[in-house]
Amino acid sequence: MRSPACRGRASPTAFRRTVGQPPLAYLAGWRMALAADRLRRTSQSLAAIAAALGSASEAAFRTQFRRRMGCTPGRYRRRG
């Protein structure tokens, strides 16, 4: 039997069943976790973090971060 990763269209369903959320939602959460870590541990600019994590723009990143983390990236960094 082929693994779920090799089944093509069944893969997102298998991923959701295994991980508990759709692949893109998982990826977005992972990116925000990486961003949160960088905000806490580095002095990188928000623009640099957004670009490194594949965001279309700093503004889009700021919006995504606020939705996922419950506060703006600047506030998150200050709370450290």
Side-chain angles (χ1 to χ4, degrees):
M1 180 171 191
R2 291 171 36 175
S3 75
C6 296
R7 290 189 198 143
R9 294 183 61 74
S11 183
T13 302
F15 187 94
R16 180 188 288 240
R17 199 176 317 118
T18 302
V19 177
Q21 57 184 321
L24 292 179
Y26 178 83
L27 179 60
W30 180 253
R31 285 179 174 162
M32 291 305 111
L34 291 175
D37 183 62
R38 287 182 184 202
L39 287 167
R40 273 194 310 266
R41 297 171 7 110
T42 74
S43 60
Q44 283 184 302
S45 70
L46 185 56
I49 293 172
L53 297 176
S55 186
S57 69
E58 185 178 339
F61 174 78
R62 196 178 298 119
T63 299
Q64 292 168 355
F65 190 92
R66 188 177 65 242
R67 284 184 186 151
R68 173 74 61 166
M69 305 301 284
C71 65
T72 65
R75 180 172 283 172
Y76 188 89
R77 177 174 264 168
R78 286 189 297 274
R79 287 182 186 170

